[in-house]
Structure formats: structure tokens, C-alpha cells
């Protein structure tokens, strides 16, 4: 990696101070765990003159469990989520997704807010400076061409956060704070299907918390496709959440990550409500997932393999969850 560039570090102790610090400078990034951002800084991918360190903002580190559900501060670590007994019991997809991120030491500092807002990436963008100089960069940085789809006028770098699909199937909402005040919205509305402009955050805004309603994910799970058993970002990942009443599906949600510039919530699942979710239903569900994902050449692994693999993962995960829910 290249030498870390110079920057000024701001260390606020409250959210108000963090927003004030961000408003006082023109070039700045928020940072907490920094497991992705620091690597990008070394590669020259995220140039900035100021870093606003959020590790001293205690209000972002609170995890609250109540009858209404969960409120997770954006700076709560992934290790905390993976190991929390209430989350493992009531929201297993979230615990599983948090556990699948990177390696154990990363998860001790990586945060849920950082993983949700993870930079999009592809084989052509996440390269060294000498590579970019030799290939005229890419549309996302220092260039004009998307090497994934050279004829395109938009960037196709893929979103690869693990926790977002789990949060989507659990009906999560996010709190956002910025110069114009605070707001709250469904998690899906945070994402924009463009590899460059991939978040809908306004200038100076940051995610401050995640809300998950109670009873939303007792029978949920997350599965991840990757080359190595740890460290790797997902070639694809899928989260499912379902409920079974009297042996029939009463609710079903699914979401996929790693295949496009946003995490994709699978639509059309209402057709399975009231079904037995037998082998024919499972086949139909897997085909529905396959039709709604379109991985491109964003990694060294062939898109066709990733599409077929996530389809098989979807079917297997759905069958396992249905059996678990039916036996509960």
C-alpha cells in the first residue's frame, strides 16, 4: 500500500460537535472503525484534508433493546452485534451477517454505520495508483470510463456491505443527522443505484442509528458467497426472513448484496404467502431471486457463477429456515 496521506484529525465528544466540525471545513470524512476508509486512503481512493473521528461520541455507541425492538447506535461494533444474546435469539440474520464481515479483529472496531455506508467497489476501482495511472483510472475515480460496462454513462461498482440485506429483511429504518437537523427513513431509501453516488445522504449528513421493529426476525438468516472463509467481501450474500403459521408461509422477505450498486430487496414474494413452500415453491422462489439480480464483472469471479451460486444459496437457506420455523 502507499503511504498514508496527510490530514487533520478532529475528535469531537458529541454529535453536535461532530456536525459543527464537519461544517467548519470543505473537505472532510467521518470515521469510526475505519477498516475500509483507512485502506482506501492509503490507496489514494478517498482523498480528504480532514477526518472527523466519531469514537469519542458516546451517544453513537448505545445499543438499546426494548419492547419496541432495537435501536442500534451507528458506532456499535459488529463484534457486539454478532455476540449479543438478544440479537442472536430475536434477529439472527443480523448477528450472522455481522459475524461474516472480514475477520475477528476487524469486527472489534468496525461499526454498523460504517458497514451500511461501505464504499462501492470493483476489480477496476480498488487498485493501486500505478495501476490507475496505467489504465487512465475509471469513472468512479480519476477517469471517464466504467471498465465494467465501457459503453455505460454510469458507474457499476458493486455494493458489498453484509449487514444491509439482513437489515432490509428485518424492516430496518435509519436515523440521519446533518446541518438541517435529524430525519428518519426506511433503510432502502438510503441507497442510490449508482456506483459513484451510492448514498442519498446530503452534504455533511451521517447515519446515527438503526431501528429494527420488535418481532421482525425470529426466523431469519444470512448466507455469504466468498472465495476465502474470512476477510473477503461478498461475491454475493443473501438474507431471508420468514414466518410460518400452521405449516404455511405467512410472511417472507429476501434481500441480496454484492451483485449491484445497491442491496436489492427481492420483490414479488407475496405470492408465496399461504403456500406450503414445498419443493416446487422453493424452485419458484429461487428463480425469482435469479431474475432480480444481475452481477457484472466487478470481481475476478465470473458473473454467471455468482448468479447461479446465489440462486442455490437462496433455495437452500429458504428450505432450512422453513424447516426451522415449522418445528418451532
Amino acid at each position: 500500500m502507499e503511504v498514508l496521506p496527510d490530514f487533520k484529525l478532529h475528535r469531537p465528544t458529541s454529535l453536535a460537535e461532530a456536525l459543527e466540525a464537519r461544517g467548519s471545513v470543505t473537505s472532510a470524512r467521518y470515521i469510526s472503525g475505519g477498516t475500509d476508509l483507512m485502506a482506501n486512503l492509503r490507496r489514494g481512493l478517498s482523498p480528504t484534508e480532514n477526518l472527523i473521528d466519531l469514537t469519542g461520541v458516546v451517544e453513537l455507541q448505545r445499543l438499546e433493546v426494548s419492547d419496541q425492538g432495537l435501536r442500534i447506535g451507528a458506532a456499535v461494533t459488529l463484534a457486539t452485534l454478532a455476540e449479543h444474546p438478544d440479537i442472536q435469539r430475536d434477529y439472527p440474520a443480523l448477528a450472522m451477517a455481522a459475524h461474516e464481515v472480514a475477520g475477528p479483529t476487524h469486527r472489534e472496531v468496525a461499526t454498523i454505520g460504517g458497514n451500511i455506508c461501505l464504499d462501492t467497489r470493483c476489480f477496476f476501482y480498488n487498485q493501486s495508483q500505478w495501476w490507475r495511472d496505467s489504465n487512465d483510472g475509471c469513472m468512479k475515480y480519476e477517469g471517464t470510463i466504467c471498465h465494467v460496462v465501457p459503453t455505460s454513462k454510469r458507474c457499476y461498482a458493486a455494493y458489498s456491505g453484509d449487514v444491509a440485506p439482513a437489515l432490509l429483511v428485518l424492516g430496518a429504518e435509519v436515523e440521519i443527522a446533518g446541518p438541517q437537523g435529524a430525519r428518519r427513513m426506511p433503510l432502502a431509501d438510503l441507497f442510490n443505484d449508482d456506483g459513484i453516488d451510492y448514498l442519498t445522504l446530503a452534504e455533511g449528513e451521517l447515519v446515527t442509528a438503526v431501528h429494527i421493529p420488535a418481532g421482525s426476525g425470529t426466523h431469519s438468516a444470512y448466507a455469504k458467497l466468498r472465495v476465502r472463509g474470512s476477510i473477503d467481501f461478498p461475491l454475493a450474500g443473501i438474507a431471508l426472513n420468514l414466518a410460518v403459521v400452521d405449516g404455511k408461509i405467512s410472511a417472507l422477505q429476501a434481500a441480496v448484496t454484492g451483485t449491484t450498486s445497491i442491496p436489492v430487496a427481492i420483490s414479488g414474494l407475496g405470492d408465496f404467502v399461504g403456500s406450503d413452500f414445498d419443493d416446487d415453491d422453493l424452485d419458484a422462489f429461487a428463480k425469482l431471486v435469479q431474475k432480480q439480480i444481475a452481477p457484472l464483472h466487478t470481481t475476478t469471479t465470473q458473473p454467471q457463477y455468482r448468479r447461479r451460486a446465489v440462486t442455490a444459496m437462496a433455495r437452500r437457506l429458504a428450505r432450512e429456515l422453513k424447516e426451522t420455523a415449522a418445528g418451532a
Side-chain angles (χ1 to χ4, degrees), residues 77-79 83 103-110:
T77 68
L78 299 180
E83 298 164 6
T105 54
H106 297 87
R107 294 191 292 271
E108 290 294 333
V109 294

Side-chain angles (χ1 to χ4, degrees), residues 289-310:
V289 172
Q290 186 179 57
K291 288 180 180 178
Q292 295 184 40
I293 60 172
L296 297 170
H297 189 204
T298 52
T299 77
T300 56
T301 305
Q302 289 299 314
Q304 297 91 334
Y305 166 75
R306 292 161 61 202
R307 190 167 186 239
R308 293 179 65 181
V310 76

Side-chain angles (χ1 to χ4, degrees), residues 76-150:
V76 172
T77 68
L78 299 180
T80 298
L81 298 177
E83 298 164 6
H84 198 287
D86 290 339
I87 296 176
Q88 290 177 340
R89 182 188 66 238
D90 297 331
Y91 310 93
L94 176 56
M96 294 168 71
H99 179 73
E100 291 296 300
V101 177
T105 54
H106 297 87
R107 294 191 292 271
E108 290 294 333
V109 294
T111 63
I112 186 172
N115 196 257
I116 289 172
C117 298
L118 195 69
D119 193 13
T120 57
R121 59 198 346 100
C122 80
F123 177 72
F124 305 98
Y125 168 65
N126 292 86
Q127 295 284 351
S128 62
Q129 186 62 52
W130 69 263
W131 188 97
R132 295 196 299 273
D133 290 342
S134 301
N135 292 273
D136 297 322
C138 71
M139 184 182 291
K140 187 169 167 68
Y141 189 59
E142 295 184 339
T144 59
I145 296 174
C146 176
H147 296 291
V148 176
V149 184

